[in-house]
Amino acid sequence: MQLVQGFSRQRDVSFVRVSLGYWRGMVQHGRPLKQVQSPPPPDYVIAQSVEPQPILEVAKAAGLAPSELDLYGQFKAKVRLNVLERLRDAPTGRLVVVTGITPTSLGEGKSTTTVGLSQALGAHLNQRVFTCLRQPSQGPTFGIKGGAAGGGYAQVIPMEEFNLHLTGDLHAITAANNLLAAAIDARVFHESTQSDEALYRRLTAKGFSPIMLKRLQKLGIEKTDPKSLTPEEQRRFARLDIDPETIAIRRVLDTNDRFLRSVRIGLAPTERGYERLTGFDITVASEIMAILALATSLADMRERFGRIVVGHQRGTGLPITADDLGITGALTALMKDAIMPNLMQTLEATPVFVHAGPFANIAHGNSSVLADQIALKLVGADGYVITEAGFGADIGFEKFMHIKYRAAGTAPRVAVLVVTLRALAMHGAGAGVRAGAESNMVRHIENIRKFGVRCVVALNRFKDDTDAELATVIDVARRAGACDAVVASHFEHGGKGAVALAEAVVRACTASTDAQHDVPRLLYSLDMPLEEKVRIIACEVYRAARVEWTAEARRKLEKLEQLGYEKLPVCMAKTQYSFSDDPEKKGAPEGFVLPIRDIRLSAGAGFVYPLVGEIQTIPGLPTRPAFYDIDVDVETGQILGLS
Amino acid sequence: MQLVQGFSRQRDVSFVRVSLGYWRGMVQHGRPLKQVQSPPPPDYVIAQSVEPQPILEVAKAAGLAPSELDLYGQFKAKVRLNVLERLRDAPTGRLVVVTGITPTSLGEGKSTTTVGLSQALGAHLNQRVFTCLRQPSQGPTFGIKGGAAGGGYAQVIPMEEFNLHLTGDLHAITAANNLLAAAIDARVFHESTQSDEALYRRLTAKGFSPIMLKRLQKLGIEKTDPKSLTPEEQRRFARLDIDPETIAIRRVLDTNDRFLRSVRIGLAPTERGYERLTGFDITVASEIMAILALATSLADMRERFGRIVVGHQRGTGLPITADDLGITGALTALMKDAIMPNLMQTLEATPVFVHAGPFANIAHGNSSVLADQIALKLVGADGYVITEAGFGADIGFEKFMHIKYRAAGTAPRVAVLVVTLRALAMHGAGAGVRAGAESNMVRHIENIRKFGVRCVVALNRFKDDTDAELATVIDVARRAGACDAVVASHFEHGGKGAVALAEAVVRACTASTDAQHDVPRLLYSLDMPLEEKVRIIACEVYRAARVEWTAEARRKLEKLEQLGYEKLPVCMAKTQYSFSDDPEKKGAPEGFVLPIRDIRLSAGAGFVYPLVGEIQTIPGLPTRPAFYDIDVDVETGQILGLS
């Protein structure tokens, strides 16, 4: 049968020709907004005021064949990974990563800038462009934050699809993560309540499945007939003997449910007292999400799932993996559609991939490697892919380089650093931009330059900002090493408001390269000890004086090294509100001691994450949640009130 | 902007003409299987051996306009509700409900018969036919049960889509249910930790939203300016004062996670000791699911969501609803796509709606009213809609009549009662069909006749069944009041194996009506007291001697009556393995006492559900779960091992 979704090896040669025709000017890339209102109305009103292009048209203009798409309604599509095969030998475009200074709790418009810049490049400068965004958690949409599709006249549409179910990828992650969690506790329970013999007999009643043979190999048992194992081999095969205290997989929900932060499970009589304290995280904090974001193919994703460490064996302390549980294939089955990037569009009809959204705190906070890679092939040598990195550059950009770039192999040409006067004022000593208020921006610029990446500062203009203040900041930015700094007003004006920014980005991408300063480089190598990797990030990026490990963290660090995980990169779990571990330390603090309280493993995603202070992994609902405003017009089916 | 999904009022008159052309013989309805293997290979091998028709073709052949579809890939589509408007004046087809005798734990092939009968009607008898099935819970797919798309050569394809995410409706229910649950606990927490004044100020900081005005109306406060309320009015508005002991909404997951049956939540320090014992149900047990299945429009679904009782007020005992929480619109936004039925196809390319799957135990266990209604219009006066009712006829068919038929207004012409010798043997005294073994079947036939519905018995043939045994059963069935009884072998032969059954169904639907016996009727009226409704079901359908209420259940019954819920129908929560409350009582027990341990309210779905014995609302994973066999071929993307 023809594949439902996936990886047909057919190539449609005639289509390649047709799509190249598009690139040669048959279709303009994007479509400028006809008019904007001032001041801009609420986000959902703007989003619903623009008729989206049928996604099939957006896809064609982007160089995708209809056979490479799975439509999800008229305005969303999944893009099959076989497009990468068709474009294997195509040249790769220019990657631009959007990051920001240390943010306020209101956000400084990083997504909005990512979208606005794309609209400017595509619909105004007629460049080939693709935007790659993270899919937001659905939880905050109903809580405090509202949507994350950009804002004002720089948005991804339909914004209600973007902010709610999209094509179900987050739901697939919830399902996969929770199947894994349920399987762990059920296995512990069954092992605790059954004899070796009964356990082995039930496990092998249908013979050895392929994944069971993999476990036998790992155990060094070279047999394929269940009857041929010695009682000792049977016991080693059947008893994972996971220490419940070491279970590393928490359950997840894509809901802001504070009462699930810490829960005691297994209290029903049927669980016979095998109760346990655990908790729920928000879905985007799942390791399954981090894996989705870093996987380079379906096979790679499956391999990574298999490596997930779910806990450690009693006594030996050996890691027990998803492969040992026999669940790798089922996780892959649940995630096989989610691995395909989701195609949407901006208000100005430029193409957007929305794909993966790992928690920027305990994971790496960047959209998927696959979306970037497909987009880079689709835009071609002279095109632009604008991708966003979560939080400030100390977190999102550092992880973009050390984790995502390392996994994907594609370096950014330019980093766009988003700055607002509002945030600078917070980093200064109170209201207004005073001397020293730019210190935070200056340090982020310096950091980006350390990685050998050019920096363009995008100064998002708010209505009360004065020209003089803006000019000061631009001047400081240039002197600090930014190759350019420009004011942008895409929130109010759409792509038109970001044309100067787009031009600066084009210049930065195409200017001749200074081999010494403009070659992307990493600050640590994987061969260094984990402790040294942490030290380099803490001292070079955060500018801590030194790192202090708790005894518990050091014990875990040593165990990770013993178990052979010392070659992994590190993914710091730190507050986004300061370079330091203290969210109150604004500006550019230095000389502080960075405490490491704990260090954990995401073996499937392929990193360890040291915890700097408390990280909240499931938000709550405020007294007056955003859901009060959300409704559906039952006559038209339109969603109302999303911001 | 053109609606993304929903309810455009445009009618495409030319299309109506074209689609009528289809009906007049332009396109054959369905496409017989070219060949079958004997014995049949595993379900997923059969399912993947047939190339599905593009769903657009299936839709066109079924009389749907492309503008009435939202495609989800090539082989699934959602059908917009505006089709009902276009077909408002079209004649309605014949509704056939498939039910069964008291089942064994292996299932007797009810879904398979529903699909096989449809394949026979469409692809072999060239009748216009539509199949309406429930969407299965994803949990059991990875546990014991395997898939639920039918089996053998009578399946819905692609079966992996059917059994996994489909179009995300179950995920939407999980999200909506858990948002509601989170909102309840968060509200209790915020009310407990804030003064009247702070609470009111935060709730009304953005003024009164429309749903807040609705609450004011309910409280008899006719004001629209937050500043104008007296302190007493402010307190009444802001304090729902839900008694945590009465919270009626449990959280849900679509995962077989036994450790979540009973959990203590709120144990993190941030919840300041407001911990509480609660639990998770499987997603299909959510009231949101029951509402989806019974809603007749988007507006009706929204109204029902608003009526959900989430708990009772301390002191007054008054019900607090989703409307009071202000969350009705958000729930509707999460469910606005889920309300559209999902179009798929059988192995013989006849059209199928897969839509809603309320737990047959604590809810009514029938697929959606909307899917049936749309299908009945699409097939037209001479066409057939084959819809399935969960469990045995004592549960699924009784609820089909008393709850779904009452909500939908469309009576079945015929009930098909699925019977297997295997199940009859279990109801007799051991192996083989002996005297009295048919008692269970006989009673189900009698019960169906009590409702004035014609009964056709479908005897699903297994390979070791003898002709003599089958002939005996057929004879007994006819004498018991079935208008026909036929042997079917669709599992082995596809629609061809159910042609005799299909012909019997056609005869039963078209034979002249005996006004006395063949007019659908209900066994109780809504005006009767709740206790009397329960008694009628227990004594007339189950044949209990009498009903015994626990003191607790009686207390709750009285409270429901006081609160004005006495006009609702009742939805019995009883084991499916016996007419009685004891799963071990096989055959046709009588004279037993039916205990009612508890009675609960689903005010949104519109029924009360008395609990007869313990009902397990979240299954567990066995020692060797089905997930061991499930995998994805990473080269082709095909899912392997689903049964």
Side-chain angles (χ1 to χ4, degrees):
Chain A
M1 127 185 175
Q2 170 68 34
L3 297 181
V4 177
Q5 266 140 357
F7 300 75
S8 154
R9 293 190 173 275
Q10 293 166 9
R11 294 196 194 185
D12 186 340
V13 177
S14 67
F15 175 77
V16 175
R17 255 181 257 124
V18 172
S19 69
L20 286 176
Y22 275 110
W23 288 145
R24 293 194 184 110
M26 280 171 62
V27 167
Q28 195 193 358
H29 210 213
R31 174 198 58 184
L33 287 166
K34 290 200 190 81
Q35 52 175 25
V36 300
Q37 277 183 55
S38 184
D43 287 353
Y44 78 94
V45 174
I46 293 177
Q48 292 176 357
S49 74
V50 173
E51 169 86 32
Q53 299 279 91
I55 200 67
L56 206 55
E57 295 305 311
V58 175
K60 280 184 192 166
L64 287 158
S67 66
E68 289 163 348
L69 299 180
D70 279 321
L71 298 180
Y72 280 64
Q74 277 184 272
F75 303 120
K76 303 175 286 189
K78 278 198 165 281
V79 173
R80 300 186 187 188
L81 302 191
N82 60 0
V83 65
L84 276 176
E85 242 173 85
R86 172 169 66 84
L87 298 173
R88 195 172 38 208
D89 304 323
T92 301
R94 296 152 180 160
L95 186 60
V96 175
V97 58
V98 177
T99 182
I101 62 168
T102 303
T104 67
S105 61
L106 300 169
E108 307 319 309
K110 221 159 52 234
S111 303
T112 305
T113 303
T114 307
V115 175
L117 170 58
S118 302
Q119 290 178 194
L121 282 165
H124 298 269
L125 300 186
N126 209 22
Q127 299 292 316
R128 289 160 6 196
V129 68
F130 230 108
T131 316
C132 292
L133 289 178
R134 290 171 295 162
Q135 182 180 1
S137 169
Q138 195 175 263
T141 305
F142 296 101
I144 293 181
K145 191 173 165 242
Y153 286 99
Q155 288 190 61
V156 179
I157 54 173
M159 66 91 89
E160 49 275 46
E161 310 271 338
F162 182 97
N163 286 309
L164 297 179
H165 308 295
L166 196 56
T167 59
D169 296 349
L170 286 180
H171 296 318
I173 293 169
T174 304
N177 183 98
N178 292 344
L179 177 62
L180 179 59
I184 299 165
D185 280 306
R187 182 66 175 247
V188 169
F189 177 79
H190 289 307
E191 288 192 25
S192 306
T193 53
Q194 293 177 41
S195 68
D196 288 357
E197 189 273 331
L199 196 60
Y200 184 75
R201 180 170 40 79
R202 291 202 174 102
L203 280 169
T204 59
K206 295 164 82 176
F208 288 131
S209 66
I211 199 156
M212 288 178 172
L213 294 174
K214 200 168 170 186
R215 174 158 170 79
L216 287 174
Q217 259 184 355
K218 177 176 162 178
L219 296 173
I221 301 170
E222 309 238 325
K223 298 180 178 176
T224 55
D225 177 3
K227 294 205 185 71
S228 65
L229 272 68
T230 66
E232 162 63 13
E233 286 170 340
Q234 291 184 12
R235 196 194 56 75
R236 284 172 57 217
F237 170 81
R239 291 223 173 266
L240 304 181
D241 208 14
I242 300 167
D243 178 353
E245 293 293 313
T246 66
I247 293 176
I249 307 297
R250 287 158 59 91
R251 286 159 178 83
V252 300
L253 274 183
D254 196 19
T255 308
N256 281 15
D257 192 349
R258 55 187 295 159
F259 275 73
L260 297 182
R261 285 170 182 162
S262 178
V263 301
R264 184 165 284 280
I265 62 171
L267 299 177
T270 48
E271 279 55 73
R272 306 194 212 165
Y274 286 94
E275 56 178 81
R276 187 167 76 80
L277 191 68
T278 179
F280 283 67
D281 294 332
I282 195 100
T283 295
V284 295
S286 167
E287 185 173 352
I288 305 277
M289 172 61 100
I291 290 173
L292 175 68
L294 289 169
T296 54
S297 67
L298 187 60
D300 179 47
M301 184 171 76
R302 187 174 173 286
E303 280 297 311
R304 288 170 181 266
F305 287 156
R307 288 199 296 265
I308 294 174
V309 172
V310 303
H312 295 270
Q313 196 165 49
R314 237 188 289 251
T316 67
L318 289 175
I320 302 295
T321 63
D323 267 353
D324 291 320
L325 270 176
I327 204 168
T328 307
L331 299 180
T332 311
L334 282 167
M335 291 292 294
K336 84 172 181 51
D337 292 345
I339 199 175
M340 296 186 281
N342 304 294
L343 182 66
M344 296 188 73
Q345 63 190 292
T346 64
L347 280 171
E348 299 186 69
T350 63
V352 179
F353 276 143
V354 185
H355 199 219
F359 206 51
N361 227 315
I362 63 169
H364 64 295
N366 282 274
S367 62
S368 83
V369 164
L370 277 167
D372 284 4
Q373 286 184 341
I374 295 173
L376 284 165
K377 291 292 184 181
L378 287 171
V379 298
D382 299 328
Y384 296 85
V385 172
I386 317 297
T387 194
E388 186 196 356
F391 290 169
D394 55 327
I395 301 182
F397 179 74
E398 183 272 320
K399 294 176 181 178
F400 182 91
M401 295 302 290
H402 282 145
I403 297 175
K404 187 178 180 184
Y405 163 42
R406 229 191 279 261
T410 317
R413 293 280 187 102
V414 166
V416 172
L417 185 72
V418 176
V419 176
T420 63
L421 293 187
R422 178 178 68 189
L424 289 182
M426 178 195 71
H427 288 294
V433 178
R434 306 194 193 169
E438 305 92 347
S439 62
N440 185 271
M441 173 184 74
V442 167
R443 182 177 292 173
H444 285 296
I445 294 169
E446 289 170 6
N447 282 348
I448 289 167
R449 296 298 294 144
K450 282 193 187 181
F451 285 90
V453 176
R454 286 182 173 159
C455 178
V456 171
V457 168
L459 193 46
N460 269 353
R461 178 169 206 147
F462 283 55
K463 74 174 171 2
D464 295 331
D465 296 349
T466 70
D467 288 343
E469 284 173 314
L470 294 167
T472 307
V473 174
I474 284 173
D475 189 48
V476 174
R478 287 189 175 140
R479 279 186 287 119
C483 64
D484 215 335
V486 284
V487 176
S489 63
H490 39 271
F491 186 93
E492 267 183 288
H493 302 112
K496 201 173 164 192
V499 165
L501 173 62
E503 287 169 342
V505 167
V506 170
R507 279 195 304 274
C509 283
T510 52
S512 64
T513 302
D514 172 342
Q516 195 185 342
H517 296 103
D518 301 332
V519 175
R521 56 183 162 262
L522 301 176
L523 303 189
Y524 64 79
S525 85
L526 295 181
D527 288 328
M528 294 175 176
L530 289 172
E531 188 173 353
E532 177 64 5
K533 292 171 191 166
V534 173
R535 194 198 61 78
I536 288 174
I537 296 170
C539 299
E540 298 278 312
V541 179
Y542 308 160
R543 318 288 175 98
R546 60 189 176 83
V547 178
E548 203 167 85
W549 294 69
T550 63
E552 169 71 1
R554 185 164 298 281
R555 194 186 58 76
K556 286 202 180 174
L557 174 73
E558 281 160 13
K559 188 169 171 196
L560 287 172
E561 283 167 347
Q562 276 164 24
L563 292 173
Y565 294 110
E566 75 282 356
K567 301 272 185 207
L568 293 177
V570 299
C571 181
M572 302 294 283
K574 180 182 77 71
T575 177
Q576 69 267 40
Y577 295 122
S578 170
F579 274 107
S580 77
D581 62 304
D582 176 1
E584 302 305 316
K585 282 197 182 132
K586 302 300 180 190
E590 51 191 1
F592 56 91
V593 176
L594 193 81
I596 306 291
R597 294 187 319 110
D598 195 0
I599 182 165
R600 296 184 193 157
L601 174 66
S602 284
F607 54 70
V608 298
Y609 57 104
L611 270 72
V612 180
E614 290 281 353
I615 303 294
Q616 188 60 266
T617 52
I618 187 162
L621 291 168
T623 303
R624 186 200 183 287
F627 63 63
Y628 269 104
D629 302 313
I630 297 171
D631 207 344
V632 176
D633 179 327
V634 294
E635 291 299 315
T636 64
Q638 257 183 341
I639 289 186
L640 311 172
L642 271 184
S643 62
Chain B
M1 123 185 179
Q2 170 68 32
L3 297 180
V4 177
Q5 265 141 357
F7 300 75
S8 154
R9 291 189 174 277
Q10 293 167 8
R11 294 195 194 185
D12 186 338
V13 177
S14 66
F15 174 76
V16 175
R17 255 182 256 124
V18 172
S19 69
L20 287 176
Y22 276 109
W23 287 146
R24 293 193 182 112
M26 279 171 62
V27 167
Q28 195 193 357
H29 209 213
R31 174 197 59 184
L33 287 166
K34 290 201 189 80
Q35 52 175 27
V36 300
Q37 277 182 55
S38 184
D43 287 354
Y44 78 93
V45 174
I46 294 177
Q48 292 176 357
S49 73
V50 173
E51 168 87 31
Q53 298 281 90
I55 199 67
L56 207 55
E57 295 305 310
V58 176
K60 279 184 192 165
L64 286 159
S67 66
E68 289 162 349
L69 299 180
D70 279 322
L71 297 180
Y72 279 66
Q74 276 185 272
F75 304 120
K76 303 174 287 189
K78 278 199 166 282
V79 173
R80 300 187 188 187
L81 302 190
N82 59 0
V83 65
L84 277 175
E85 241 172 85
R86 172 170 66 84
L87 298 173
R88 195 171 41 207
D89 304 324
T92 300
R94 297 152 181 160
L95 185 59
V96 175
V97 58
V98 177
T99 181
I101 62 169
T102 303
T104 67
S105 61
L106 300 169
E108 308 318 309
K110 221 160 52 234
S111 303
T112 306
T113 303
T114 307
V115 174
L117 170 59
S118 303
Q119 290 178 194
L121 282 165
H124 297 270
L125 301 186
N126 208 21
Q127 300 292 316
R128 287 156 13 194
V129 68
F130 230 108
T131 316
C132 293
L133 290 178
R134 291 171 294 163
Q135 182 181 0
S137 167
Q138 195 174 263
T141 304
F142 297 102
I144 293 182
K145 190 170 167 243
Y153 285 99
Q155 288 189 60
V156 178
I157 54 173
M159 67 91 90
E160 49 275 46
E161 310 271 338
F162 181 96
N163 285 309
L164 297 179
H165 308 295
L166 195 59
T167 59
D169 296 349
L170 286 180
H171 296 319
I173 293 169
T174 304
N177 183 99
N178 292 345
L179 177 62
L180 179 58
I184 299 166
D185 280 306
R187 182 66 175 247
V188 170
F189 176 79
H190 289 307
E191 288 191 26
S192 305
T193 53
Q194 293 177 41
S195 68
D196 287 356
E197 189 272 332
L199 196 59
Y200 183 77
R201 180 170 40 78
R202 291 201 175 103
L203 280 169
T204 60
K206 295 164 82 177
F208 288 131
S209 66
I211 199 157
M212 290 177 171
L213 294 173
K214 201 167 170 186
R215 174 160 169 78
L216 287 174
Q217 258 184 355
K218 177 176 162 178
L219 296 173
I221 301 170
E222 310 239 323
K223 298 180 177 175
T224 54
D225 178 2
K227 294 205 185 69
S228 65
L229 271 67
T230 67
E232 162 63 12
E233 286 169 339
Q234 291 183 11
R235 198 194 53 76
R236 284 172 57 216
F237 170 81
R239 291 222 172 264
L240 304 181
D241 208 13
I242 299 168
D243 178 354
E245 294 292 315
T246 66
I247 293 175
I249 306 297
R250 288 157 60 90
R251 286 160 179 83
V252 299
L253 274 182
D254 197 19
T255 308
N256 282 16
D257 193 347
R258 54 187 297 158
F259 275 73
L260 297 182
R261 285 170 182 162
S262 178
V263 302
R264 184 164 284 282
I265 63 172
L267 299 177
T270 47
E271 278 56 72
R272 305 194 213 164
Y274 286 94
E275 57 179 80
R276 188 168 76 79
L277 191 69
T278 180
F280 283 67
D281 295 333
I282 195 99
T283 296
V284 295
S286 167
E287 185 174 352
I288 305 277
M289 172 61 100
I291 290 173
L292 174 68
L294 289 168
T296 54
S297 68
L298 187 61
D300 179 47
M301 183 171 76
R302 187 175 173 287
E303 280 298 311
R304 287 170 182 266
F305 287 156
R307 288 200 296 265
I308 294 174
V309 172
V310 303
H312 295 270
Q313 197 165 48
R314 238 187 289 251
T316 68
L318 288 175
I320 301 295
T321 64
D323 267 351
D324 291 319
L325 270 176
I327 204 168
T328 307
L331 298 181
T332 311
L334 282 167
M335 291 292 294
K336 85 170 180 51
D337 293 345
I339 199 175
M340 296 186 281
N342 304 293
L343 183 66
M344 296 188 73
Q345 63 190 291
T346 64
L347 280 172
E348 299 186 68
T350 63
V352 178
F353 276 143
V354 185
H355 199 218
F359 206 51
N361 227 316
I362 62 170
H364 64 296
N366 282 274
S367 63
S368 83
V369 165
L370 277 167
D372 284 4
Q373 286 183 341
I374 294 172
L376 285 166
K377 291 292 186 183
L378 286 171
V379 297
D382 300 327
Y384 296 85
V385 172
I386 318 296
T387 193
E388 186 195 356
F391 289 170
D394 55 327
I395 301 182
F397 179 74
E398 183 272 321
K399 293 176 181 178
F400 182 90
M401 295 302 290
H402 282 145
I403 297 174
K404 187 178 179 184
Y405 163 42
R406 230 191 278 261
T410 316
R413 293 280 188 102
V414 167
V416 171
L417 184 73
V418 177
V419 176
T420 63
L421 293 187
R422 179 178 67 189
L424 289 182
M426 178 196 70
H427 288 294
V433 178
R434 305 193 195 170
E438 304 93 347
S439 62
N440 185 271
M441 172 184 75
V442 167
R443 183 178 291 173
H444 284 297
I445 294 170
E446 289 170 8
N447 282 349
I448 289 166
R449 296 298 294 144
K450 281 192 188 182
F451 285 90
V453 175
R454 284 182 174 161
C455 178
V456 171
V457 168
L459 193 47
N460 269 353
R461 178 169 207 147
F462 282 56
K463 75 173 170 2
D464 296 330
D465 296 349
T466 69
D467 288 344
E469 284 174 314
L470 295 166
T472 306
V473 174
I474 284 173
D475 188 48
V476 173
R478 287 187 176 144
R479 279 187 285 121
C483 65
D484 215 335
V486 284
V487 176
S489 63
H490 39 271
F491 186 92
E492 268 183 287
H493 303 112
K496 202 173 164 191
V499 165
L501 174 62
E503 286 169 343
V505 166
V506 169
R507 278 194 304 273
C509 283
T510 52
S512 65
T513 303
D514 171 343
Q516 195 183 344
H517 296 103
D518 301 332
V519 175
R521 56 184 162 262
L522 301 175
L523 304 189
Y524 65 79
S525 85
L526 295 180
D527 287 330
M528 294 174 177
L530 289 172
E531 189 174 352
E532 177 63 5
K533 292 171 191 165
V534 173
R535 194 198 61 77
I536 287 174
I537 296 171
C539 299
E540 298 276 312
V541 179
Y542 308 160
R543 317 289 175 97
R546 62 189 176 83
V547 178
E548 204 167 85
W549 293 70
T550 63
E552 168 72 2
R554 185 163 298 283
R555 192 186 60 74
K556 285 204 180 172
L557 174 75
E558 282 160 12
K559 188 171 172 194
L560 287 171
E561 282 167 347
Q562 277 165 25
L563 293 173
Y565 294 110
E566 75 283 355
K567 302 272 185 208
L568 293 177
V570 298
C571 182
M572 302 294 284
K574 179 182 78 71
T575 176
Q576 70 268 40
Y577 295 123
S578 171
F579 274 106
S580 77
D581 61 303
D582 176 1
E584 301 305 316
K585 282 196 183 132
K586 301 302 180 189
E590 50 191 2
F592 57 90
V593 176
L594 193 82
I596 305 291
R597 294 187 318 112
D598 195 0
I599 182 165
R600 295 185 192 156
L601 173 66
S602 284
F607 53 71
V608 298
Y609 57 105
L611 270 73
V612 181
E614 289 281 354
I615 303 294
Q616 188 61 264
T617 51
I618 188 163
L621 291 168
T623 302
R624 187 200 181 289
F627 63 62
Y628 269 105
D629 302 313
I630 298 171
D631 206 344
V632 177
D633 179 328
V634 293
E635 290 301 315
T636 64
Q638 257 183 340
I639 289 187
L640 310 172
L642 270 184
S643 62

